[in-house]
Amino acid sequence: MSGTIYILNGPNLNLLGKRQPEIYGTSTLADVSSSCAKVGEEFDLAVHLLQSNHEGQLIDWIHEARENAAGIIINPAAYSHTSVAILDALNTFEGPVLEVHISNIHKRETFRHHSYVSSRADGVIAGCGIEGYALAMRHVGALLS
Ligand code: CA2
């Protein structure tokens, strides 16, 4: 493998596939990991999928990615709308950053319409369900090729 893509997931996404299927679908983070790994094979990229309910842990993983990852795909979940700290951490990462939202945040409550992370992201995908992660993986692969 020529590189690793960190796929970081924020609070409550451990419940993916287990609660609120009408909004977030029935697939799990394990399904996300395998679909992204499949795309990664086309680009000689490995994936490392992580999820945390804690802001500081996500920031520590972004710092770790500075040493270990060629790119980051991140669904910061609710921290998208609140966290300058995650934005600051992402601004220290030099590779491509793709932001993914499973739901279309622009079709939902007004407080979800703004994401701090979007000002750093090289691309933003929202509303494509978990396919958004595989689409992001394909774009990261193309950017790194
Ligand atoms: O659409 C997305 O991917 C979100 O990032 C998901 C966040 C939400 O706060 C953002 O506004 C949009 C919420 C993640 C909650 O994940 C769950 C998954 C399954 C069941 C319950 C929660």
Side-chain angles (χ1 to χ4, degrees):
M1 292 286 170
S2 67
T4 299
I5 306 303
Y6 272 33
I7 304 176
L8 302 178
N9 293 277
N12 299 307
L13 285 165
N14 52 310
L15 298 177
L16 200 61
K18 298 167 189 162
R19 297 276 187 281
Q20 294 183 265
E22 67 287 359
I23 303 176
Y24 299 112
T26 54
S27 302
T28 64
L29 282 183
D31 298 322
V32 170
S33 184
S34 51
S35 67
C36 288
K38 208 167 167 187
V39 176
E41 283 170 19
E42 293 176 37
F43 296 94
D44 204 22
L45 292 168
V47 300
H48 188 46
L49 186 143
L50 297 159
Q51 187 277 331
S52 178
N53 295 324
H54 305 279
E55 189 174 22
Q57 176 64 82
L58 291 161
I59 291 165
D60 286 345
W61 285 334
I62 294 166
H63 294 175
E64 189 184 296
R66 282 162 46 77
E67 308 300 324
N68 299 334
I72 294 176
I73 295 170
I74 185 165
N75 182 347
Y79 289 141
S80 316
H81 319 302
T82 63
S83 181
V84 175
I86 288 177
L87 170 62
D88 287 346
L90 287 169
N91 277 330
T92 73
F93 182 77
E94 287 177 6
V97 173
L98 267 288
E99 177 182 357
V100 172
H101 296 284
I102 297 164
S103 63
N104 181 356
I105 53 175
H106 302 289
K107 239 179 139 179
R108 299 182 65 189
E109 303 95 321
T110 314
F111 66 82
R112 295 186 202 276
H113 294 182
H114 175 263
S115 164
Y116 285 98
V117 168
S118 297
S119 67
R120 164 61 183 92
D122 297 293
V124 181
I125 296 169
C128 299
I130 70 149
E131 193 192 349
Y133 289 89
L135 294 169
M137 189 68 199
R138 188 165 293 286
H139 191 61
V140 169
L143 289 173
L144 291 172
S145 293

